[in-house]
Amino acid sequence: KAKSLNPADAHRKAQRKKEVAKNKAERSKTREDALKVKSPELIRAEISRLKDKKTMGLATNEDKDRIGKLEKAYEEGLRRRREEAEKPQEALPTFSHSVKLFGAEEAGGGGAAGPLPLGNIAIEYRPEDSVYYHPTLNPKGVPPTGKPQKYRLSAERQAQVAAEQQARLEA
């Protein structure tokens, strides 16, 4: 006697079969994508490991299939690497921006060279000039995430910058 299924059970069984097929395709795609990202050297090392296993007679059919897939991935990785080497390197974009000086309004006075137009000069900033600088907690003067970099020039640093600017103008 043939076993007949309830129509609802048959529907669930068909849905489960579709889901299993979808998951299987998704897993294989994920594995292939992972191989695309993997470096050819790592792939070559895994191939040699599996081939050693094969020569010892310990390789399963899955290992033998994997060797074939890895060799394809290795060739693909080498081809991608050659294409990248042939492609001309694009220059990194450069950005010109003005750095906001904290306290620039009151920082312009004093010094032998007169007031500095702080917004228009090019200054090489040191970490100590950063508003966020602290000798032990933040020795690089890096701003917190999401905050813009701000600088404050001390009076002696302003005099130093003024002297550098004056030397540039005289030269």
Side-chain angles (χ1 to χ4, degrees):
K1 181 176 172 183
K3 195 173 195 180
S4 62
L5 288 177
N6 182 344
D9 288 339
H11 179 70
R12 277 194 293 275
K13 190 174 183 180
Q15 291 298 321
R16 177 70 181 144
K17 192 174 183 180
K18 284 181 189 176
E19 185 181 344
V20 167
K22 185 178 124 186
N23 289 343
K24 183 178 180 181
E26 193 175 297
R27 282 194 311 272
S28 69
K29 182 172 176 8
T30 303
R31 274 194 301 270
E32 289 170 8
D33 290 346
L35 282 178
K36 287 179 184 176
V37 174
K38 212 174 195 182
S39 74
E41 292 79 20
L42 291 175
I43 295 173
R44 175 53 60 196
E46 189 170 349
I47 290 172
S48 65
R49 184 184 61 80
L50 288 174
K51 283 188 176 181
D52 290 344
K53 195 173 176 182
K54 185 178 176 182
T55 57
M56 289 188 283
L58 300 174
T60 62
N61 288 338
E62 290 84 17
D63 290 338
K64 293 172 186 171
D65 291 341
R66 180 121 173 100
I67 289 172
K69 289 178 184 176
L70 286 172
E71 286 174 343
K72 287 179 186 174
Y74 177 72
E75 294 300 324
E76 177 70 20
L78 289 179
R79 184 186 61 75
R80 255 195 333 255
R81 193 172 273 181
R82 278 193 301 271
E83 286 175 359
E84 288 176 7
E86 291 170 1
K87 194 185 329 179
Q89 291 291 329
E90 295 179 13
L92 293 175
T94 56
F95 300 99
S96 61
H97 63 283
S98 60
V99 176
K100 188 175 186 179
L101 287 173
F102 183 75
E105 306 82 39
E106 69 270 358
L116 289 173
L118 291 175
N120 299 331
I121 59 172
I123 302 173
E124 298 224 359
Y125 293 100
R126 301 180 307 194
E128 296 85 26
D129 298 335
S130 173
V131 173
Y132 306 105
Y133 173 78
H134 187 275
T136 55
L137 299 177
N138 191 1
K140 294 183 180 177
V142 179
T145 306
K147 297 283 185 175
Q149 182 62 281
K150 294 181 185 176
Y151 293 97
R152 175 186 304 130
L153 295 181
S154 63
E156 52 280 347
R157 179 78 170 124
Q158 284 182 22
Q160 182 183 6
V161 168
E164 289 174 6
Q165 187 180 25
Q166 198 67 17
R168 283 188 202 145
L169 292 175
E170 291 173 359

